[in-house]
Amino acid sequence: LQIFETVEFSFDTLAQRLRELAFLNGGVTITIDDERDGGKSHKFLYEGGIKSFVSYLNQNKAVVNDKPIHMHGEKDGIDVEIALQWNDGYTETVYTFANNINTHEGGTHLAGFRGALTRGLNVYAVAAGLIKEGEGFEGEDCREGLAAVIACKIPDPQFEGQTKMKLGNSEIKGLVESLLYEKLLVYF
């Protein structure tokens, strides 16, 4: 109590963070028990990892693609995993993580994701005859109703600012972009 005025922990805040960690580390069981007078307890286990996370984000929503699209790749010791699924809503819900840290403000991994998503959908739409050459979707159009999770594991992460809210590694942008673009075209 010499440093902190109060030492009260919010069970719900801790449970939310531990649920995120269970999604990000598929197959790992994480348990939280509140031994105070409330006696709450939760056990988190998601075999599907971030695919389960995307399904969780889309619960109680009408999904466009039945199962989340999932991709995983590694290059130069950098591990990238992406899961995405559209619903019939208008809101974009994208969570980005670097070494299990929620980068709330995104960063280079989000920039690579957005660029590849727009480019991939436009290339597919032209090839499938859905739009004419020279026409195209805007980025906002592609992300409408999208729920996605981007999780990177990086040997030497560079964050902007003390709070680690934004990833700054420039090489991540190209890696995420090439992985998503390639796998999306295979999926389509």
Side-chain angles (χ1 to χ4, degrees):
L1 289 172
Q2 293 177 3
I3 296 173
F4 298 106
E5 292 176 15
T6 62
V7 202
E8 279 293 315
F9 296 101
S10 165
F11 180 84
D12 294 334
T13 301
L14 290 171
Q16 180 180 342
R17 177 63 180 138
L18 294 175
R19 178 182 290 114
E20 266 182 9
L21 287 171
F23 280 128
L24 293 168
N25 299 284
V28 173
T29 302
I30 300 176
T31 306
I32 180 171
D33 295 314
D34 188 347
E35 296 178 354
R36 298 176 294 189
D37 31 83
K40 295 181 193 175
S41 179
H42 283 301
K43 178 179 175 182
F44 303 108
L45 171 63
Y46 302 102
E47 293 293 341
I50 67 169
K51 291 182 289 191
S52 297
F53 197 167
V54 169
S55 295
Y56 176 80
L57 295 173
N58 274 332
Q59 70 184 3
N60 303 322
K61 296 177 184 167
V63 294
V64 175
N65 48 311
D66 291 338
K67 295 179 182 176
I69 302 167
H70 178 256
M71 55 208 67
H72 181 251
E74 184 185 339
K75 185 177 180 185
D76 300 328
I78 299 170
D79 187 82
V80 177
E81 187 177 10
I82 301 169
L84 59 147
Q85 183 180 41
W86 283 269
N87 61 59
D88 66 353
Y90 297 101
T91 306
E92 170 190 0
T93 307
V94 178
Y95 286 87
T96 58
F97 296 88
N99 296 355
N100 289 339
I101 297 168
N102 191 334
T103 50
H104 295 280
E105 294 177 9
T108 53
H109 48 342
L110 181 59
F113 173 84
R114 287 182 170 169
L117 183 68
T118 304
R119 187 166 55 113
L121 287 172
N122 280 317
V123 166
Y124 169 72
V126 168
L130 301 172
I131 59 175
K132 295 177 185 173
E133 187 75 42
E135 295 179 351
F137 300 112
E138 297 292 322
E140 295 81 26
D141 299 327
C142 299
R143 296 188 310 270
E144 192 172 288
L146 176 67
V149 176
I150 307 159
C152 302
K153 302 236 183 340
I154 307 159
D156 186 27
Q158 298 166 1
F159 297 100
E160 295 178 15
Q162 289 284 12
T163 56
K164 299 183 178 180
M165 295 288 228
K166 192 171 186 179
L167 184 65
N169 294 63
S170 58
E171 70 276 14
I172 302 299
K173 181 180 186 284
L175 185 58
V176 169
E177 198 164 7
S178 63
L179 173 70
L180 179 61
Y181 180 74
E182 177 187 310
K183 301 285 185 173
L184 263 184
L185 291 183
V186 169
Y187 175 81
F188 291 142

